[in-house]
Amino acid sequence: MPNISRKGMEMPQSPIRKLVPYAEAAKKKGRKVYHLNIGQPDIKTPQVALDAIKNTNITILEYSHSAGFESYRNKLAVSYQKIGLPIATEDIIVTTGGSEALLFALGSTMDAGDEIIIPEPFYANYNGFAVSSGVKVVPVVSGIENGFALPPISDFEKLITNKTKAILICNPGNPTGYLYSKEEIQQLASLVQKHDLFLIADEVYREFVYDNEQHYSIMNIAGIENHAIMIDSVSKRYSMCGARIGCVVSKNKEVMTAALKFAQARLSPPTYEQIASEAALNTPKSYFDEVIEEYKERRDVLVQELHKIEGVTVAVPKGAFYCIAKLPVNNADNFAQWLLESFELNNETVMVAPAAGFYSTPNIGLSEVRIAYVLKKEDLVKSCEILKAALIEYKALS
C-alpha cells in the first residue's frame, strides 16, 4: 500500500478533540459529561445575525469575491476604527475562520524550513498549521508561577536565527487567558523592528477582558505597520463558532497581495456566513456588556472552586474564557481519559483538555489541563465537585 506523507504522520492530534470517542462512549453508558474541554460558548448568537440569514432571498448561491464581500469589509473596517484601530477596507481579507487567516499569514510570510517563535503554552492548532506549512515552531516557555506572562525579551532574542521570520502571540491567550500589557506588546514591537520580523497577533478574544483591564492591539503601534499581521474571527465574539468566518488584517501591501493569492486558490469564503457576520456588526453594545459580565462571574466561580481542591494550582485569567490548572497527577492525558472511561459521581463526569498538547516542547505541561469556563455557573461548581472526588479516587488507585 502507498505511504502517507511525512506531514500526515507529523500532524498532531487535537488535545481538545482527541478524547471525543471516550466522551461519546461515556454518554452511551448514560453518563452526563460536563464539557470543560472546548471553547464552545453556550451564549446565544445575536438574533440580528440569525435573522439576516432567515430573511435572505437568494436564488443563486454564487461565489463571493475572494477577499470577501466588499460591504462586509467596509463595515468591518468602520467597526475597527470605532475602537481606535486604523484599519481600512483594503487591509482586510475575509477568511474561512481564523484558522484559514493563520494559514494565509504563514503561507504569505514563510517558506518551508523557516521558523516562528511562539510563547507556550499556545493554541494547539498552531502546531498543526506549522506542520501543514512546513514551518518550524520555536517555543519560548512561559510558566504558571507568574500567570503565563510574556517571557523576558532576552529569551526571545536568543532564539532568533537567520531562519526566523515571525513571532506569533494570542492576546488574550488561548489556553491561558493571559492578557498582554501595553508594555509587553511594545517590547515585542521593538524586537520585530530590530530583527526585521513579522509580528502576528491572534486577537479573536479581544472583547473578553476583565477586571477593568484594557486590550492593546498590535495595530495600535505606529512604526510596525509593515511588520504587523492581525488575525480575527467572529467565532467567539458573537458565539458563531460554526459560521467559520475570520479575517487576516495587515497594512503591509505585499503581505496582503500574497494572502489574496491564497484566497483566490480556495475561491471564496462562504456566502450565508458572511451575510450573518456582516449583520452581526449591528449587535448592540449591551450584548457584549452582558456576555463579558457573565464570563467574569464564571471565571470567579471556577477559580474559587478550583482553589478548594487540594493540590490544584490555577493561573487566574485576565481575558478570553480559559484557564490552565495544574493537577496533582503525573499525566493529565491518562487522567482525562480515566475520567471518561472509569469514573462517575452520581452518573456524571467531566471532560478536560490535557495541556501537554498546547506545548511544542516535549514533556512540558504533563500535569496541566486547560479548562474552558463556557458552562453555566452551577455546572462549573458541579464540575469542580466531580473533579475533586475524581482526584481523590485517582490518587488512591496510583
Side-chain angles (χ1 to χ4, degrees):
M1 137 179 181
N3 294 325
I4 66 168
S5 67
R6 181 173 55 82
K7 279 185 182 180
M9 290 187 287
E10 292 179 355
M11 195 72 175
Q13 276 191 308
S14 167
I16 305 164
R17 298 173 182 269
K18 68 181 183 180
L19 295 173
V20 166
Y22 301 102
E24 290 172 341
K27 291 173 185 177
K28 286 178 181 177
K29 294 177 185 176
R31 289 179 188 165
K32 179 172 181 177
V33 177
Y34 291 94
H35 284 272
L36 303 177
N37 63 303
I38 192 165
Q40 171 56 64
D42 64 354
I43 305 295
K44 286 186 177 180
T45 302
Q47 193 61 42
V48 65
L50 299 176
D51 287 345
I53 296 175
K54 293 175 185 175
N55 296 331
T56 57
N57 57 358
I58 293 173
T59 56
I60 300 175
L61 199 55
E62 300 176 337
Y63 291 121
S64 75
H65 191 288
S66 292
F69 292 159
E70 184 176 13
S71 59
Y72 178 38
R73 287 181 286 128
N74 287 339
K75 291 180 183 177
L76 202 50
V78 170
S79 74
Y80 287 135
Q81 292 160 16
K82 285 180 179 177
I83 59 172
L85 302 185
I87 296 169
T89 301
E90 61 268 23
D91 302 330
I92 303 168
I93 292 175
V94 180
T95 58
T96 309
S99 299
E100 188 176 71
L102 276 159
L103 285 168
F104 286 1
L106 294 180
S108 300
T109 60
M110 299 182 198
D111 293 311
D114 284 339
E115 298 175 353
I116 184 167
I117 299 174
I118 315 178
E120 63 179 355
F122 51 72
Y123 177 48
N125 281 337
Y126 293 167
N127 276 323
F129 300 149
V131 169
S132 62
S133 302
V135 172
K136 179 183 177 183
V137 170
V138 178
V140 54
V141 182
S142 63
I144 196 169
E145 62 280 351
N146 64 351
F148 300 104
L150 186 76
I153 288 297
S154 58
D155 288 1
F156 286 85
E157 195 149 27
K158 67 186 179 185
L159 296 173
I160 295 173
T161 71
N162 59 0
K163 292 278 191 180
T164 308
K165 287 293 187 70
I167 295 171
L168 169 60
I169 60 170
C170 185
N171 185 34
N174 174 7
T176 64
Y178 185 77
L179 178 70
Y180 291 106
S181 68
K182 179 178 180 179
E183 292 70 27
E184 287 171 326
I185 297 296
Q186 288 175 329
Q187 287 174 359
L188 289 171
S190 296
L191 185 65
V192 298
Q193 282 179 302
K194 177 180 177 181
H195 292 278
D196 201 23
L197 306 175
F198 290 103
L199 178 57
I200 304 172
D202 184 343
E203 299 187 0
V204 304
Y205 298 98
R206 182 188 305 108
E207 281 75 20
F208 302 101
V209 174
Y210 316 116
D211 305 327
N212 297 314
E213 298 282 355
Q214 296 293 318
H215 178 265
Y216 193 69
S217 172
I218 63 168
M219 303 304 291
N220 281 126
I221 304 177
I224 67 163
E225 288 83 1
N226 285 326
H227 301 263
I229 302 172
M230 185 180 81
I231 306 301
D232 210 350
S233 170
V234 305
S235 291
K236 307 304 165 66
R237 179 169 300 125
Y238 303 110
S239 195
M240 287 169 58
C241 295
R244 310 312 306 138
I245 293 293
C247 62
V248 57
V249 180
S250 181
K251 303 193 83 64
N252 184 314
K253 301 303 181 187
E254 291 185 3
V255 167
M256 297 307 283
T257 297
L260 183 59
K261 289 187 281 188
F262 283 95
Q264 290 168 344
R266 64 81 165 102
L267 304 185
S268 65
T271 294
Y272 278 110
E273 287 81 351
Q274 287 186 84
I275 291 170
S277 298
E278 183 173 332
L281 291 171
N282 296 322
T283 302
K285 182 178 180 295
S286 58
Y287 173 88
F288 296 105
D289 292 340
E290 293 172 10
V291 169
I292 291 165
E293 181 59 29
E294 176 65 22
Y295 277 129
K296 181 185 179 299
E297 291 177 5
R298 292 179 183 188
R299 179 204 64 174
D300 293 345
V301 166
L302 175 66
V303 170
Q304 175 183 300
E305 294 302 313
L306 287 173
H307 279 156
K308 293 178 183 178
I309 305 175
E310 184 179 354
V312 172
T313 302
V314 59
V316 180
K318 291 289 187 180
F321 37 67
Y322 308 100
C323 71
I324 292 284
K326 187 174 183 179
L327 307 181
V329 299
N330 293 325
N331 189 305
D333 277 87
N334 292 343
F335 175 67
Q337 184 173 328
W338 174 83
L339 275 171
L340 297 169
E341 279 192 310
S342 306
F343 182 79
E344 55 85 19
L345 181 67
N346 300 322
N347 211 30
E348 297 179 331
T349 191
V350 296
M351 186 177 184
V352 294
F358 295 90
Y359 290 83
S360 142
T361 303
N363 301 317
I364 292 187
L366 295 179
S367 61
E368 297 173 358
V369 295
R370 186 194 75 167
I371 296 175
Y373 45 96
V374 294
L375 303 181
K376 294 179 292 186
K377 291 185 282 289
E378 52 267 35
D379 287 347
L380 291 172
V381 172
K382 179 62 70 69
S383 297
C384 288
E385 290 173 356
I386 295 169
L387 186 61
K388 180 178 181 178
L391 285 167
I392 292 171
E393 184 171 322
Y394 194 73
K395 183 179 179 181
L397 293 172
S398 302

